[in-house]
């Protein structure tokens, strides 16, 4: 755990969040600033800064599987949803603990801004 990392503190329960799903190594919770009717974040419990430094492909697989479970539980698996991993400054990453967004519940435009 990185002491000052917001998402480490959410994963440990130190900072409250609306947890909607969990797996052995990952936690899913509602985004505080939703951009779609369904907007959740999936993070690993362990601190990894971004996809640039993630070396454990199995961990990314577990994040992806939990994201798909969140989409199913939210009822958007059939209508469609999007997995987003903002990475680095130009990618729009604002919290430097690797995470994926689960977005759905409305038609999502492409390309993103
Ligand atoms: P990104 O820009 O890809 O790094 O996304 C970070 C997301 O984290 C952003 O959509 C807002 C969300 N977020 C930031 N602070 C908090 C918080 O304290 N609680 C929750 N639930 N989400 C947060």
């Amino acid at each position: 755990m990185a002491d000052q990392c917001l998402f480490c503190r959410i994963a440990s329960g130190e900072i409250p969040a609306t947890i909607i799903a969990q797996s052995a190594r990952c936690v899913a919770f509602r985004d505080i600033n939703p951009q779609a009717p369904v907007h959740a974040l999936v993070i690993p419990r362990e601190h990894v800064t971004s996809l640039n430094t993630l070396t454990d492909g199995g961990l990314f697989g577990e994040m992806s599987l939990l994201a798909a479970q969140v989409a199913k539980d939210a009822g958007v698996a059939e209508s469609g949803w999007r997995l987003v991993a903002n990475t680095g400054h130009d990618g729009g990453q604002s919290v430097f603990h690797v995470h994926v967004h689960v977005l759905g519940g409305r038609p999502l435009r492409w390309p993103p801004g």
Side-chain angles (χ1 to χ4, degrees):
M1 172 168 171
D3 284 349
Q4 296 308 315
C5 172
L6 172 64
F7 285 178
C8 282
R9 296 169 79 188
I10 286 176
S12 72
E14 184 186 335
I15 290 179
T18 305
I19 308 288
I20 52 177
Q22 301 195 52
S23 66
R25 293 196 290 169
C26 300
V27 180
F29 55 96
R30 288 195 212 293
D31 194 292
I32 203 168
N33 183 25
Q35 302 301 310
V38 175
H39 189 173
L41 301 170
V42 179
I43 64 171
R45 297 178 197 279
E46 76 181 71
H47 184 77
V48 177
T49 306
S50 79
L51 278 185
N52 286 337
T53 52
L54 181 67
T55 55
D56 183 346
L59 184 57
F60 190 71
E62 190 171 319
M63 291 167 66
S64 302
L65 290 175
L66 192 60
Q69 187 61 53
V70 166
K72 285 176 199 151
D73 291 348
V76 299
E78 297 306 319
S79 55
W81 58 285
R82 189 172 290 170
L83 185 77
V84 174
N86 296 327
T87 304
H89 179 267
D90 282 0
Q93 185 175 7
S94 61
V95 178
F96 283 80
H97 178 124
V98 69
H99 55 279
V100 292
H101 297 252
V102 177
L103 293 153
R106 66 170 173 82
L108 299 167
R109 291 181 297 277
W110 190 264

